[in-house]
Amino acid sequence: VLGAGRSAWLEKDRRYVWHGMVPYEAAQHPLHVVRGDGPYVFDVDGRKYLDAMSGLWCVNLGYSRRELAEAAYRQLTEMPYYPLTQTHSPAIELAERISTWLGGEYRVFFSNSGSEANEVAFKIARQYHAQRGEPHRWKIVSRYRAYHGNTMGALAASGQFDRKYRYEPLAPGFVHVPPPDCYRCPFGKQPATCALECARHVDDVMRWEVDATIAAVIAEPVITGGGVLVPPDGYLPKLREICDRHGALLIVDEVICGFGRTGAPFGHQRFGVCPDIVTMAKGITSGYLPLAATAVRSEIFDAAFATSEDYAHLRHVNTFGGHPASCAVGLATLDIMERENLVDRARTLGEVLAGELARLEDLPHVGDIRTFGLLAGVEMVEDRATRAPLAPDLVARVVAECKARGVIVGKNGDTTPGGNNVVTLCPPFVVSEGDIQHIVDVLRDAILSLS
Ligand code: PMP
């Protein structure tokens, strides 16, 4: 592969492949990864990078886990495929393990991507209410800035309008509310005295939407792709309480936060809430094979689908969801996480990351630093007093300077023009404390290179 040379590959890439969400300039110079080892990836020219984004918030266990590849191989040679309209052992075992990780009893439906997992959640939430005699409950409340996927429903739920408006009309029935953004509070409040206005506002919206038309609220524990917005401790519990009061379900999107990223098995557990539906993907196989899941609390599931007649109404089906090889890799992923105590490790490393990032607080253009487990966002501003977002080309330069120094970082935000100003970090759980210091040193140099 290396022999083919970068320019020959690039020429073919430009001719035959298109890449979404990448500015034209960046698409002309994509990172062409050919190999990975632990937290490192190597490009087609043999250059080594420390991946501080785990690919795309996925590869939590690092890039060279033979055990995961062997689990897939074993399963593919033994029984490569059978649909889950029937059943197979890897899916049964993994569903049970997910339920254990969630700390309650859940019924799990498998699919292939985070987007699909959320589509399933919306369908099941609507059907739950319809089965219980409330078919008018079909709307979903979600937050501006959140991303929930690329399909017509999941994109409609997303609150990033730059990703949406070119593809409208999307699925109807999604109502957006302002996010918990303590740096730029949409309600003009200060964290110490805000009384969780952003959560309380959902209560108003429920009433304004005639109360009983809302099927569910969907929320990530931390809005990740929208710029790592860490809510105040009471935010998610308050959403739970509001949902209960209005008879709506609470869906938690754990596509990024799930499987240890936040230093807990699932992000919502750090806030002490019990969701009705949990969606997950990415880290479930550490990115080695596609897999996603929608877990419905058994109590909710049984309330709508307990009898054989009710069960017959479940018409949602999927060809590759819960592919045996993906489930086998999912089980091997959880085995490794449990054996190596990686949830605890993510929490400890997260504390190291937060401590190291504090060194950047006084640098020019650093507006806000937000961390939650092994996940961080550094919001870049023109100047700290006005909090005006740093110009997009300068934020892009920070990312490029990190890459030039051998560290891959991400860039996210509210996706409005000029709003993509949060440098994001989401390293694999296998990085060392030294790697974290190095990531922060490189980010520091990259930021200083702007002056
Ligand atoms: N939910 C969240 C929170 C995500 O970050 C993403 C993807 N980044 C999705 C859903 C969609 O997942 P997928 O790309 O696997 O469809």
Side-chain angles (χ1 to χ4, degrees), residues 57 113-115 118 147-150 220 224 253 255-256 281-282:
W57 328 82
S113 69
S115 308
N118 285 329
Y147 181 65
H148 294 296
N150 60 11
E220 281 180 275
T224 45
D253 178 339
V255 168
I256 289 177
K282 295 190 191 278

Side-chain angles (χ1 to χ4, degrees), residues 35 42 116 132 241 260 279 289 336 344 386 414 450:
R35 189 165 73 80
F42 297 83
E116 264 189 283
R132 292 163 50 90
E241 181 256 305
T279 60
L289 281 180
I336 292 173
D344 288 344
T386 65
D414 73 8
L450 296 178

Side-chain angles (χ1 to χ4, degrees), residues 302-315:
D302 292 342
F305 306 106
T307 70
S308 59
E309 197 189 325
D310 292 339
Y311 203 84
H313 290 294
L314 283 169
R315 310 307 292 175

Side-chain angles (χ1 to χ4, degrees), residues 145 178-191 194 196-198 387:
R145 292 187 65 166
D181 179 357
C182 298
Y183 185 58
R184 301 174 189 281
C185 176
F187 299 92
K189 305 270 184 186
Q190 295 302 321
C194 71
L196 294 173
E197 183 62 24
C198 51
R387 299 191 178 183

